Amino acid sequence: MNARTLITALTLAALVYAPQPMSADTGFDLLTPGEIALRRDTAPTRNLNPLKTDGPEIKIHAPQSSTLASPVDFDVEILPRDGVEPDLGSLQIEYRIGPIWTDVTDRLRANAEFVGLRMRAPGARLPSGKHNLRLTIEDIHGGVTVARLSFTVND
């Protein structure tokens, strides 16, 4: 079995295990146990790195620091750029596990409160180490913004 086949098999196995639903008081698991086993530390510090900025502006209210404790609160605001409204239905949030980006949008949406153009998802349990998320959002005219959020969780 070559490395690519092994990564594919492990990724498929990780997708079989869904995170356990939790009440709002206790938070939620952003990653499955299989995904945690596959991840590698790849992010240096907390930063928001815009990769493409043709669409709405992404403003991160939380997490704010480079070193955090779990659970982590997410507070993301999507702002119109040049007066063009964002398409919140197009919001996609992916988590980097090794060379693979895994879609965690539904996990965050299921545990989030939306107020206007702001999504707040408190209490995401994450293992210690470095984390990378990629956020993608479109506006109603098809403009796209892609940004990567990196941060570290300590024990």
Side-chain angles (χ1 to χ4, degrees), residues 57-134:
E57 180 184 346
I58 298 173
K59 184 172 185 178
I60 305 294
H61 296 283
Q64 273 298 314
S65 71
S66 61
T67 305
L68 308 163
S70 188
V72 174
D73 293 340
F74 289 96
D75 185 349
V76 178
E77 186 174 13
I78 307 299
L79 301 169
R81 188 182 307 272
D82 299 327
V84 180
E85 287 298 311
D87 174 8
L88 287 182
S90 72
L91 177 64
Q92 182 177 25
I93 303 168
E94 299 168 292
Y95 183 92
R96 187 171 185 161
I97 300 174
I100 300 167
W101 290 95
T102 300
D103 190 344
V104 295
T105 308
D106 291 340
R107 298 175 201 175
L108 280 167
R109 282 185 193 262
N111 294 282
E113 173 187 41
F114 286 86
V115 177
L117 299 174
R118 197 162 173 172
M119 178 187 79
R120 292 182 176 125
R125 288 187 296 272
L126 288 166
S128 62
K130 297 173 184 175
H131 301 273
N132 274 310
L133 290 148
R134 183 169 61 192

Side-chain angles (χ1 to χ4, degrees), residues 22-28 71 123 125:
M22 302 298 292
S23 73
D25 295 334
T26 59
F28 64 99
R125 288 187 296 272

